[in-house]
Amino acid sequence: MPSPRYWREKANRFHLEAARCQGCGGVTFPARTICPACRGTEFETLYLSRKGKVVTSTVVHVGPNEFQMEAPYAMAVVETPEGGRLMVQVVDCEPSDVLPGLEVSLEFRLIRREGHGGILCYGHKGVPVG
Amino acid sequence: MAGIVGYGAYIPRNRIKSEEIARQWGKDPQAISRGLLIQEKSVPGLDEDTITISVAAGRGAVARAGIDPALIGALYIGSESHPYAVKPSGTIVSEVLGVTPEVHVADFEFACKAGTEAMFVALGLVESGRVEYAMGIGADTSQGAPNDALEFSASAGGAAYIFGKERLLVEVLDTYSYTTDTPDFWRREGEFYPRHGGRFTGEPAYFKHVLSATRAILDRSGYKASDFRHAIFHMPNGKFPLSAGKQLGFTKEQMAVGWVVPLMGNSYSGSSPTGLAAVLDIADPDDLILITSFGSGAASDSFVLRATDLLPQRVERAATVKSMLEGPRHYLTYGEYAKYREKIILND
Amino acid sequence: MREVAIVGAGMTRFGEIWESSLRDLFVEAAAGALSSAGADHVDHILVGNMSGGQFVGQEHLGPLMADHLGMAGVAAARVESACASGGMALNMGFMAVASGFVDTVLVAGVEKMTDGADVTNVLASAADQETEVYHGITFPGLYAMIARAHMAAHGTTEEDLAWVAVKNHKHGAMNPKAQFRSEVTVEQVLQSSMVAEPLRLLHCSPVSDGAAAVLLCPLDQARNYTDRPVKLIGSGVATDAMALADRKDPAFLAAVEKSSERAYKMAGVTPKDIQVAEVHDCFAIAEICCLEASGLVEKGQGAKAAASGETSLGGRIPVNTSGGLKSKGHPVGATGVAQAIEVFEQLRGESGERQVEGARIGLTQNMGGSGASSVVHIYQGV
Ligand SMILES: [Zn+2]
């Protein structure tokens, strides 16, 4: 990933910055300028709490080249208490245990690296609670 | 008076047992465990490095301090495994913790001493009044060469300390540093694994600096070994700190809580700071605590600390060292370990 | 608006076609379509293609393909909507002819996937790069998440998924153009290697090369080209949230529902009128979800449709008589056009042992990404 792009996405990768629509109350993550639900343009900035519940999940056995060393790894759509949803890897557990309903915390981890010489790209991953 | 207003530690969940490494190289597992007093060590996941460990420890420190992280005016990370050769770890950690942009940031390196070095400088800036709060972090994902003695100890983890002047959890009563040029352990630019002087790392390096620094701070502060409830000495293996402590007049009981090396190995810059975190997790008000680090090259930093009434009330705001040492662990085979530590050659 | 007919079709076989390049594949299919209609000129060429740029480093496919067809000078452009690129090209060709803007449009789809590109990464570029792909999700992974959500909502089982593959392989075994001309058993599917839980290798469509092309013209000019034109009576396109996390119900493909409703409305038919259908079975779960969302089966009933025989040849509504993406192959940009050709041939009674007897009205549904775009066409034999 080119570094300007990674840098531009810091707000959501580092801080889980989201937006709550003042029109319909819907939460979008990452933040947008137009609400996908009601087309409202007034938003309140909020930061997703670093916890959530798995909505749906899979275990990737055949991954992209950059992730093949991590396979098999679990991926999940997680919903935070604010109603924000995000796609994350879920780690520090048996991948097959990552099923809908699982409670996870969101922890800062290395997500991908651009070969041996490129930038390191960080963000959040789920870790089962307890 | 300045002191610690918040602290946090992090230890990765992956472990490898000393006997698993010994088996790989045809060594006697019992002899290794007995010799080093290390049963198992922590191993970073493929997605864990000095930066992620620093963030995890730093988040714990902010939670225990209960302060607005934006008030932290300086943040230093000591590590010998900064993920970038050029580009600071500290900027990423500062940004994630919400400390930027009004902050002075630097990455430190001083072999295993870089963590206390970061703490030392952070404390100094707070004491001088230059900044209100400052964070010092020691974190590493240290590498030992395959089939080297270091492979049994080089581990991963870290601890973060926020210094301030009010609502102290721990008072810093005195500090002392003892430094000489001693080439006992090094890694040249571009080399993957460090090299060391074998037994030369003992007497003229570890022991000379740890003993000199500790004796000097005891002299200066007027305390004697028996005044302390807890003492932490840098833990390159299990034996060195116990031996150094004994020579200084400390008992096994005084060293027991901070002696975390048997279950996690030597997390280099994170080692003695993590031992200190383990002590703070259980310390009672007014407990006197001594910590002496060691970094090859070589130097020791010593701190005399005293716990306040506030400390026990803040412990539960973040994960304790014990909970991570004894909590859910994932044991690796040597093959998995080789993969996790990227010892397997792959095409780019 | 003018009535529009398909009057000619051509396609390559689908599979690993080592000897043919991207342009070779296009030329074979396009020339086949033109010659089947006896056409020597067209007004416009549309090339459905997902990612010539990433697969073989070739963009600007409109002029390239016109040139290689010996038609430099003709208006030509590439149309892209990920795996729905072919269907989207057909929709645009339909609009161009219906509006009276042009008379003859060659609608083609082509993809060359086996020239060494990292296919997993290229396909993933149809998902949301910033919020999905960044984190390591793959295309099978996205559909696996849809499958798990469907299992949780409707009790769908891995065996139900397997039956989709079994049915489509059975159909594909009879299709000379198909990549896999062999039948598989439920046991073989359930024992194949795991790709993304709960999806196994035999739940997934393959990596394929191939091209397909059809010729469109106004219905009142169709007899210049063929005695058996097939009328395009409905076309619907719809989109949905790009990222799976942004959809309320990950088990429901809203774009498929909307595009179907639009096509039914335009055609003036209902799902009950459809006698043969090709739906986008890039993964077994996709066929189940698409059948439900398009109304071809009741919501929640998609899972059992393959096992019960309802969607097999001879069943109530035969689905993917070509073998579908699963067995026929899935050169992504070509798929939407190849679906149209299967229904075109069915409605002309040219499908041989795969023929659905008496089929007069057929449907194709082509999907992009994890369901963020969908194109539905409805056809009527003349
Ligand atoms: Zn809204």
Side-chain angles (χ1 to χ4, degrees), chain A residues 16-60:
Chain A
L16 300 174
E17 184 185 302
R20 181 180 281 120
C21 174
Q22 299 301 83
C24 71
V27 172
T28 61
F29 174 82
R32 299 186 186 191
T33 51
I34 299 175
C35 174
C38 76
R39 304 204 68 239
T41 55
E42 300 289 316
F43 290 94
E44 165 204 3
T45 295
L46 81 158
Y47 298 91
L48 301 181
S49 42
R50 293 195 294 108
K51 60 182 181 185
K53 198 182 260 189
V54 171
V55 175
T56 186
S57 62
T58 183
V59 179
V60 175

